[in-house]
């Protein structure tokens, strides 16, 4: 029984021990600022004013967001099918909305989400300079659901051999436990 516990312990901790120097996230992870639910809007708002004052055209590649600055360009990826579209923020979502972004009908068509209506998406910016601009824009009042951080080059650290802890286990025979009831 003790050997089974040790085997399970090693299996559970092995990925952490061999992860090594995976400290540089892939580009997509570094530029991802949000993940959540998206929907789209179309005819009802077509040719009406948006929050930034321009006229909404449902065929354009635009979007509404709760607090990203107007003009911010975002890459939105439909996580169901992998399709991507670049949109420009020109409108606002209500603060109480559970969605992270509302896309124009044109953007929703490019993501093939018209039939679904609501899909899970990943939202990314173009480069790390945009991340820096957003950090400066929000300063100390960054919304909790935005993932804004800069990744630096990794620090080379010599890794020591991992210390494996073993716990003294006092195992009692099963028949004693059963008779104790």
């Amino acid at each position: 029984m003790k050997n089974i516990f040790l085997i399970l312990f090693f299996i559970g901790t092995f990925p952490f021990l061999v992860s090594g120097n995976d400290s540089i996230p892939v580009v997509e992870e570094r530029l991802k600022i949000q993940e959540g639910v998206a929907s789209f809007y179309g005819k009802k708002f077509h040719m009406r004013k948006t929050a930034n004052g321009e006229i909404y055209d449902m065929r354009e590649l635009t979007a509404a967001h709760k607090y990203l600055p107007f003009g911010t360009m975002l890459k939105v990826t439909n996580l169901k099918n992998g399709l991507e579209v670049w949109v420009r923020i020109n409108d606002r979502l209500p603060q109480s909305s559970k969605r992270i972004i509302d896309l124009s009908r044109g953007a929703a068509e490019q993501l093939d989400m018209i039939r679904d209506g609501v899909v899970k998406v990943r939202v990314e910016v173009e480069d790390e300079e945009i991340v820096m601009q957003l950090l400066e824009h929000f300063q100390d009042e960054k919304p909790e659901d935005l993932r804004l951080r800069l990744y630096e080059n990794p620090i080379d650290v010599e890794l020591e051999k991992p210390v494996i802890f073993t716990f003294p286990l006092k195992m009692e025979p099963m028949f004693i436990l059963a008779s104790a009831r």
Side-chain angles (χ1 to χ4, degrees), residues 103-119:
L103 303 165
S104 64
R105 183 176 179 88
E109 287 172 352
Q110 287 201 16
L111 293 179
D112 193 25
M113 63 176 277
I114 299 295
R115 183 178 303 138
D116 294 330
V118 176
V119 296

Side-chain angles (χ1 to χ4, degrees), residues 57-84:
D57 183 341
M58 67 181 190
R59 296 172 300 245
E60 290 184 6
L61 303 179
T62 59
H65 196 276
K66 289 180 190 174
Y67 32 71
L68 285 175
F70 294 131
T72 303
M73 294 297 294
L74 301 173
K75 180 170 81 170
V76 181
T77 305
N78 181 339
L79 296 178
K80 181 178 177 183
N81 59 23
L83 294 174
E84 304 170 345

Side-chain angles (χ1 to χ4, degrees), residues 34 39-58 60-74 87-95 97 99-105 137-138:
Q34 222 171 5
S39 61
F40 72 95
Y41 59 120
K43 293 178 186 176
K44 180 178 177 184
F45 297 97
H46 186 61
M47 302 311 289
R48 291 188 178 184
K49 268 191 180 181
T50 62
N52 76 347
E54 65 185 62
I55 302 299
Y56 172 68
D57 183 341
M58 67 181 190
E60 290 184 6
L61 303 179
T62 59
H65 196 276
K66 289 180 190 174
Y67 32 71
L68 285 175
F70 294 131
T72 303
M73 294 297 294
L74 301 173
V87 297
R88 180 177 50 86
I89 300 299
N90 72 339
D91 209 353
R92 287 285 174 244
L93 272 172
Q95 291 298 314
S97 177
R99 298 177 308 276
I100 63 167
I101 195 165
D102 266 359
L103 303 165
S104 64
R105 183 176 179 88
H137 173 79
F138 289 113

Side-chain angles (χ1 to χ4, degrees), residues 12-31:
T13 58
F14 186 74
F16 299 109
L17 299 176
V18 297
S19 63
N21 204 3
D22 293 331
S23 57
I24 303 176
V26 293
V27 172
E28 292 81 22
E29 280 298 308
R30 290 187 300 159
L31 301 178

Side-chain angles (χ1 to χ4, degrees), residues 117-156:
V118 176
V119 296
K120 190 166 184 187
V121 296
R122 178 179 53 242
V123 176
E124 299 168 83
V125 292
E126 186 174 5
D127 55 37
E128 290 173 341
E129 184 178 323
I130 305 298
V131 174
M132 289 177 54
Q133 291 172 1
L134 291 172
L135 281 168
E136 186 177 317
H137 173 79
F138 289 113
Q139 296 180 4
D140 294 333
E141 298 179 21
K142 180 188 79 66
E144 286 184 25
D145 62 336
L146 272 187
R147 180 179 179 244
L148 298 176
R149 58 185 138 192
L150 294 177
Y151 290 95
E152 301 292 331
N153 290 333
I155 299 171
D156 288 332

